Amino acid sequence: MKQIIIYLLAIFGLTSCNQEKTTEENKAVSRVAITTNHIPLPDKLPTTVLDCSTVEFKSAKQQADTLLWYFGKKRLADDEKFFCAFPNSFAGMQNVFGFDARSGLAPLGDNGIVIPYFAQLNSIPKEIYYNKYINICIDGIWQADNIREAFGFAGRLTNDTEAACFSLSKRTNQEIKSVFHFIFDGHHPKNEYNKEIYSSLLPRVIKQNIRLGKLLTESYSEVLSEDDGHGH
């Protein structure tokens, strides 16, 4: 009788281990299935000089999958990979987050959390971070839910004014005005919300760089002059 009990306990223990192993395997499979198309970036990327130049994608979908794979883990290594996977131009932002009348909604066109996550990153060296941030805003125009308000760049100008202005001041007048224009651009840009943003930004920007303050005022005035009451 004692031998039978020991035999039954052994079978029960083996079954439990197999079930736990199967559960963990299923979790792993489910995790991979979320973004099967992502690019596995190197485990270590340089932290002092973050070089994303070798990161390329075959499609906007693959880029979107890679962003989702590394999004929100809040580890430095994953933030760096997320940053490298993020677009580096306004056209790139449109391809991943926008909407096109012919091709329809981009892979992350209905995603409302990936861009805000990029906009609040603090783990990336500031000069590298702001260089990309400025790049995605240049030539930007208001379009849809995700393609507006310079992707939150006004918030960085407000909360990290010195670093944001330092990087912005390295650009040409045309590029700077393009970024400022994108901040205020919209269906009806002559509104109280934009007025408050301008009033808040101007003293902060002028304190850092008079040239930037002048270009901010010029850009804001030009946006308002374009508002004929009918929007874009």
Side-chain angles (χ1 to χ4, degrees):
M1 182 68 178
K2 184 177 180 180
Q3 290 178 338
I4 294 174
I5 293 173
I6 293 173
Y7 177 72
L8 291 174
L9 289 173
I11 293 176
F12 177 76
L14 181 61
T15 302
S16 298
C17 289
N18 286 337
Q19 286 178 342
E20 290 177 3
K21 183 178 180 182
T22 301
T23 300
E24 291 303 316
E25 288 176 349
N26 287 339
K27 287 181 179 179
V29 170
S30 298
R31 170 64 177 161
V32 173
I34 294 173
T35 53
T36 55
N37 198 36
H38 84 285
I39 290 182
L41 298 181
D43 288 338
K44 291 185 178 180
L45 292 168
T47 55
T48 52
V49 180
L50 189 59
D51 183 8
C52 304
S53 60
T54 60
V55 180
E56 297 180 355
F57 302 95
K58 295 179 180 178
S59 66
K61 178 64 168 60
Q62 187 180 61
Q63 186 171 11
D65 284 347
T66 305
L67 282 169
L68 292 177
W69 185 263
Y70 294 111
F71 161 76
K73 296 180 180 178
K74 296 186 178 180
R75 295 189 315 158
L76 175 59
D78 291 312
D79 274 353
E80 289 176 344
K81 294 168 189 175
F82 171 85
F83 178 80
C84 279
F86 206 80
N88 193 43
S89 66
F90 179 71
M93 293 296 288
Q94 288 178 300
N95 291 337
V96 176
F97 297 99
F99 174 82
D100 183 81
R102 291 176 294 179
S103 56
L105 197 65
L108 296 181
D110 58 353
N111 184 293
I113 58 177
V114 171
I115 293 176
Y117 186 78
F118 171 84
Q120 57 82 47
L121 279 177
N122 290 310
S123 53
I124 307 300
K126 287 189 176 184
E127 188 170 356
I128 296 172
Y129 173 71
Y130 282 117
N131 186 57
K132 173 170 280 195
Y133 211 149
I134 292 167
N135 285 346
I136 65 174
C137 292
I138 291 173
D139 297 328
I141 55 173
W142 178 90
Q143 292 181 6
D145 289 343
N146 282 319
I147 311 297
R148 59 175 61 201
E149 296 180 6
F151 309 117
F153 189 67
R156 299 302 301 223
L157 283 170
T158 300
N159 299 315
D160 194 18
T161 311
E162 183 176 357
C165 285
F166 177 76
S167 292
L168 195 58
S169 67
K170 295 183 176 182
R171 301 303 184 105
T172 66
N173 287 2
Q174 183 178 352
E175 289 173 330
I176 294 169
K177 290 183 68 174
S178 179
V179 174
F180 286 148
H181 187 283
F182 190 24
I183 289 175
F184 301 111
D185 195 24
H187 190 58
H188 291 295
K190 190 181 295 184
N191 55 62
E192 287 301 314
Y193 177 68
N194 274 347
K195 185 177 179 180
E196 290 177 5
I197 293 176
Y198 172 70
S199 299
S200 175
L201 286 182
L202 185 60
R204 290 180 169 88
V205 172
I206 286 181
K207 184 178 180 180
Q208 296 298 323
N209 190 297
I210 294 177
R211 168 175 165 252
L212 292 181
K214 180 174 180 291
L215 294 173
L216 173 65
T217 297
E218 290 179 7
S219 301
Y220 180 61
S221 299
E222 288 173 8
V223 172
L224 296 187
S225 69
E226 294 166 4
D227 188 355
D228 59 1
H230 298 89
H232 288 293

